Amino acid sequence: MYALADHAWRSLRDFYSDQVIVITGESGSGKTEASKLILQYLGFATGKSKELETVRQQLLLCNPVLEAFGNAKSLHNDNSSRFGKYIELEFDYKGEPVGGLITHYLLEKSRVTVQHPGERNFHIFFQLLAGADVQLLKSLKLQRNTENYLYLRNNHSNPSVWHQSDKDEFFNTKKALESVGFSAEDIVNIFRIVAAVLKLGNLIFTPVSNIDGTEGCSINNDYELEEVATLLMIPAEELRSALLYRTYSVSCSAMDAHGMAVGGGGGANCFSRDSTLPRDSTTSRTFLGNNHQSHSQPQQLLLQQRTSLLSTSASMVGRDMYQMMDGCHGSDVGFQAALASRAYQDAKDDFVMTDLSAAEATTGRDTLCKALYYRLFTWIINSINERIKVKQHGKRRILGVLDIYGFENLPVNGFEQLIINYCNEKLQHYVTEIVVKEEQEIYMQEGLEWSPILFPDNLAVCDLIEKHNLGLLAIMDEECQRSTNGSDDAFLSRVGQVFQDNIQIEVAWGLLSKNADSTAMNAFRLKHYAGWVTYNVAGFLQKNSDLLVRGLSQSMYQCAHPIVKELFPEGNPRRTTLRRPATSGTQFKMAIIALMRSLRSKNPHFVRCIKPNAFKQPHHFDVQTIQQQIRHLGLLETAQVKKNGFAFRQPYAWFLQRYKMLSTVTWPHWGGVAIEGAARLLRDLPISATEYAFGRRMLFIKNDSTLMQLEDFRRIRLNDLATLIQKTFRGWATRWLFFKRRQAQIKIAAAWRRYKADAPLRRMRWRLSSVILAGCCLLCLPMLFCFRVLVTSFSLLRLSARREYLELRQRRRMIEAVLVIERSYIQWKRRRYLNRLAIRLPSTSPTCREWPNVALFLRDTNQILKKLYHVWRCHRYRIGFDQIGRNRMREKVTASLLFRNRKESYARSVAHPFQGDYVRLRQNSQWRKLVNETSDQYIVFADIVSKITRSSGRLVPVLFVVSTSSMMILDQRTLNIKYRVPAADIVRISLSPFLDDIAVFHVKSFDNTSSSVANLQTGCLHFQQSSESSVLSPSFGNKWKGDLVLQTCHVIELVTKMFLVVQNAAGKAPEVNVHTDFEVSVGHQAVEFSFHCTGPTEVQPGHVRIVRRGYRLEVTL
């Protein structure tokens, strides 16, 4: 876990791309523990600053809170997550966590009211009862015994063991709530709602018969109701009214004098769609009231309305009122008469109130409890998100951790199991598509050698569940929208009709199913990726619609409890919208689609959890259980793809940009094609060529260890570069400081020298002052006159020197100005030349020879720019090729280097592209069977050529094939291999310089009498019965043959391709001899080939005469 988390975090930090860790597995396989380990590592592996410590603690302490409110004991797991959790951790550019976001998916809220045998309710209920102190329990109106609460009586575990564990966990949960940022008041308010759910579950509804014969109910334990009202801060009578009665609003403001709704279509729109009206007039009774009065009026108003209605005839109530309600389904006359007889024409917003039976009240209570707990759970997660969200701006990257509920197959599976397994189907489809399907498609698109691996695809099951209008969820929504005859049985019947011919589903409704032993009655059986699962449809539509009665929502909104008021915003009387909310299935489907979209935008990492046994026993591995999970999760196909495939792939440009500093050739800039730069870079590194492969657009790396090795090299090189930058900067800073100090020293020395030079003048001035003083005293005028003359001469000398200095300075400034003007003029001329050249640039075709003329003094620059432009457009022309085009260009360039000005027939081959397979041998099924036995799968050249016999010089047509590892001569009809020569055994290729189409392939051979390397001979063929033999010839056995002499109209192409194949196979290029006379080995003999051209220059292929004269073969053209 730590290694995977470290790899994901380092990928986010180093590659600066979003990552996601997807944890999958069955229920009870350890997904929650795996996510905790991952979050623990991410919390402790990052920085340790004080600001980050708070964020880290909040992210880590979210888990205890989510587990307390969202986990429960199930048949497969004592700490099973009953909700989906997707945590997005946000990191800055340094890889430090700065915040996060938690998204939850479909809490199993039905567990609040009903649990399967052997399972428990959510942990928080037991933690609160076991860990809270006496004072807190007293304030919450709770008792420590779990048997006192109906919702907790399904616990069959050891009470003492769970009591101690829950007690310890309660303190951890409370501490986590405080650490995340909840105040003490918020924590108490949360516990008040939890306690209210427990107390609501204890309400007992007793059936009562009204005086008009209708059925109602009453609460048997009013003290529980009082305590619930105290916890929720709502008047008890208002809560009682919301639980025992149901209100239907009626819009009658637009009625005419006869009771018709003007433009409203009769009474069809008079009742709001709060809930379904009762259809049996003998089981409930109806009250009419005015909604202008406050909805929170005390119980006296309701009693007054009931008294006024009961004073009328019971038959009138039973007949007229229910005709009014049935008017919503077509009985407009009864509805108008009832309204007219009750004189409610002036009311603008009236309502109808009915009694609820005990069963209906119990259902409403359970719905309220589930809504309270589910919305509290959502409120807690939203509050946590507000506290851990990113507070700072800037670019951030996301690392997501997906921990979602595992696949479930219980003895009785319902709506929740269908939703959970649908989520697992989507996740399995995502994992299979990313790991197996898309990976193989990329290999094939990139042209890599790959044998397809078959894998199971569960897309059909996903479509069966989620398909628009025809999926299970769509059919369920359609049945939920039916106001009259929508039921679980109707849903099952509809499923049976739609999927009658679908082999993925079996339906049993009223009749035996296709497999009566495996499918129960009133259920359907769905084939998931992990096997068949049977779903009982009882309660499907109710759980899917899951509508809360508007009266209960309005009552909850009237609560003074600060959190409850936020949980039921639809209860606000000012909200006039009555639009039906989306069903639970539709909401979950939209959430899963958004989740899949988010996962596909990130680089995935997978954790596949395997459950060792089905009995929750440690140190016990059930082989059958493990094998079944491995097959269902597709781990065999995944392992096969990972083993034969590549662990890392990136486009060439990206790879070169990241690792270019590892080679002196590509650093700091690579000016060529990216694929060539990547190849040159890898050649300079100590990495084996088997560890990577080149595709058309991407580079593939085989193992993660190679990628880690590259990252280590890069990290070391970056440290060296950082050291170089620091060294350079420090050297520059030191030099700058030295020059500054030297300048300061020069100024100080100059000032000191000036001061020393002025010392005689200062002394003379002092003496002059003394002489003047003495002359004045002695009236020695002649001496004074002489001294004045001396001073004047000295002053004139200083003026002359200063004048000369000023002239020199002026001359220097003039010279500098001339140089500046000259530089500016030259730069202006260059700039004008470049601007004009940019406008008059010739075509980008490499064959274009045009170039604009310029002035004489720019001739050298013009020639340099012409060469650079030609190199650039040739580069542009080259990068326009794909890998196949580059290979063909390489062959053409090689042919030019080999035969230009050497072979007369070369000029005719320039305009013709090299096709290689002229006989379409790649599509031959017999050839595909043959290559499985050899390593000659990739064909370089295949054509019908003429083999020249060594004895008589006759031409024999044969099928000649060149693969990447050998050249072969095959029988045209049977494709049997007559000769097979490994490419590494070809040492020389000889041709004549004329227009003939003859080529000779010289093959090295070993003496079959000795295996010594010293006995190596050149120029003859040998036959050995091994896979690596130079020639395989079943007809000649071990008889020595000679070099191959062939004639083909594609001789230039054949020799060029053979040259490249030998160069790649042997590691060095073969010699290409173009001459009129050369020797050819025939067995142990050497025969001299001699070419003579006596006919016209243009000789068509085949117009040659071959004559053997002893040990000499003469070819006359």
Side-chain angles (χ1 to χ4, degrees), residues 992-1016:
S992 75
F994 304 123
L995 287 171
D996 62 286
D997 297 330
I998 298 176
V1000 180
F1001 298 93
H1002 302 273
V1003 185
K1004 69 179 180 181
S1005 63
F1006 292 89
D1007 190 353
N1008 59 350
T1009 61
S1010 174
S1011 61
S1012 175
V1013 180
N1015 293 329
L1016 178 65

Side-chain angles (χ1 to χ4, degrees), residues 556-683:
M556 293 297 103
Y557 185 80
Q558 299 299 329
C559 294
H561 193 287
I563 298 179
V564 175
K565 195 177 186 68
E566 298 180 20
L567 302 183
F568 296 88
E570 74 277 9
N572 189 349
R574 298 182 179 179
R575 295 186 61 173
T576 58
T577 175
L578 297 177
R579 188 177 62 179
R580 179 187 294 268
T583 60
S584 299
T586 300
Q587 293 179 16
F588 186 75
K589 183 177 75 171
M590 295 297 104
I592 290 299
I593 292 175
L595 174 64
M596 295 297 110
R597 190 182 303 115
S598 176
L599 294 181
R600 291 182 183 278
S601 65
K602 300 175 177 61
N603 183 35
H605 307 265
F606 298 101
V607 177
R608 316 301 291 273
C609 297
I610 302 296
K611 184 169 58 177
N613 59 78
F615 312 106
K616 298 187 287 187
Q617 296 180 359
H619 310 295
H620 174 63
F621 289 87
D622 186 359
V623 177
Q624 184 177 0
T625 302
I626 294 175
Q627 290 179 347
Q628 183 180 8
Q629 294 177 76
I630 290 176
R631 285 194 300 268
H632 292 163
L633 293 176
L635 294 183
L636 297 177
E637 294 82 4
T638 302
Q640 193 172 359
V641 171
K642 291 298 182 183
K643 177 183 177 182
N644 300 332
F646 299 87
F648 178 78
R649 64 175 183 270
Q650 281 296 342
Y652 293 113
W654 184 96
F655 179 83
L656 187 62
Q657 179 65 25
R658 181 165 183 82
Y659 299 107
K660 62 181 180 180
M661 71 286 298
L662 301 182
S663 174
T664 56
V665 179
T666 57
W667 177 259
H669 300 291
W670 171 257
V673 184
I675 182 175
E676 298 176 359
R680 184 62 182 271
L681 170 65
L682 289 172
R683 281 200 299 268

Side-chain angles (χ1 to χ4, degrees), residues 1028-1077:
E1028 296 297 331
S1029 63
S1030 295
V1031 178
L1032 297 176
S1033 179
S1035 60
F1036 290 99
N1038 290 337
K1039 183 179 178 181
W1040 289 92
K1041 305 296 287 184
D1043 298 339
L1044 286 178
V1045 184
L1046 304 175
Q1047 183 185 29
T1048 173
C1049 58
H1050 307 292
V1051 64
I1052 300 296
E1053 177 182 359
L1054 172 60
V1055 175
T1056 301
K1057 289 180 179 290
M1058 199 69 227
F1059 176 85
L1060 294 175
V1061 167
V1062 174
Q1063 184 179 21
N1064 293 334
K1068 62 179 181 179
E1071 179 186 354
V1072 178
N1073 180 28
V1074 181
H1075 203 269
T1076 57
D1077 297 300

